[in-house]
Amino acid sequence: MSANEIRIPKQKRSIEKKDAIIKASYGLFCEKGYYKTNTAEIAKEAGVSTGIVYSYFHDKKDILIEVVKLYIFQLEEQFKIILDQIAEREKLAFVIGEFIDLSISSHKMNRDAHNEFLALALLNNDIQDLFNGFEYQMLEKLYKILIEVGYSEEFLIEKLRISYGIIEQLCHDYIQGKTSDGELNKIKFLAVPMIMNLLGNA
């Protein structure tokens, strides 16, 4: 199907159908995996015909892109609540702790999705670009907030990137069963002051 044959939904019912396809795909990709899910299964789960699926998407890869965008949007909304709390320098340690807790919670709640999409990102540049964009926007927002509360700009974005990597590794080790709940609490206890020290003084 050529690009000009793909429908862009404008009416409420059409938008709802496309959203249903994306949400159905999200569940199936997490449950069965991207490669083991076919378009007919997606259509059945979404309550539409296979033809309707192809009227909104070129192929399964197009659906995957929208599914990952939905996943990232959900992450952004969750983290926005935490980031908006950084109004004063004195609250940063608390916010870092909250950020770690939310990261762990998000990884646990969406473990199947996270593992599936992370694996796909290694094989697909478009998916990798979406995750890189999410990380970039997250770090840029943190950078601007920290500058506003008095942190030095010197190497700040690099320090934030390292801090983000520490938290991501902590989460991955936990959801993969490499650390227990007790070990996780100890690591978190060490990670917060470590990140605070890394970020340095204003």
Side-chain angles (χ1 to χ4, degrees), residues 9 13 23 47 85 98 110 134 153 157 170 194:
R13 188 175 178 184
K23 290 175 182 176
Q85 295 182 42
E98 290 286 295
N110 301 294
F134 167 71
E153 294 184 35
I157 196 69
L170 183 159
M194 183 186 299

Side-chain angles (χ1 to χ4, degrees), residues 140-178:
E140 278 292 304
K141 183 165 185 178
L142 281 166
Y143 176 85
K144 291 176 182 177
I145 292 171
L146 292 180
I147 293 298
E148 288 176 2
V149 298
Y151 276 79
S152 170
E153 294 184 35
E154 186 175 14
F155 299 120
L156 182 56
I157 196 69
E158 289 79 13
K159 292 174 181 178
L160 285 169
R161 188 168 288 116
I162 293 170
S163 301
Y164 187 78
I166 290 171
I167 295 172
E168 278 290 287
Q169 188 62 53
L170 183 159
C171 292
H172 290 165
D173 285 349
Y174 181 66
I175 66 171
Q176 290 170 11
K178 294 180 181 179

Side-chain angles (χ1 to χ4, degrees), residues 5 35 39-40 44 46 55-56 59 64 74 85 89 93 106 111 118 136-137 142 147 179 181 186 189 191 198 201:
E5 293 177 295
Y35 293 107
T39 311
K44 182 179 179 181
S55 71
Y56 294 121
D59 50 32
L64 174 63
Q74 292 172 342
Q85 295 182 42
R89 182 182 174 84
S106 176
R111 176 165 51 191
L118 194 64
Y136 175 81
Q137 290 181 9
L142 281 166
I147 293 298
T179 55
D181 288 338
K186 292 177 183 177
F189 179 78
L198 176 61
N201 301 317

Side-chain angles (χ1 to χ4, degrees), residues 122-140:
L122 298 174
L123 303 172
N124 189 300
N125 289 335
D126 291 335
I127 304 301
Q128 186 67 61
D129 288 345
L130 288 173
F131 280 107
N132 288 342
F134 167 71
E135 181 177 332
Y136 175 81
Q137 290 181 9
M138 180 79 68
L139 296 182
E140 278 292 304

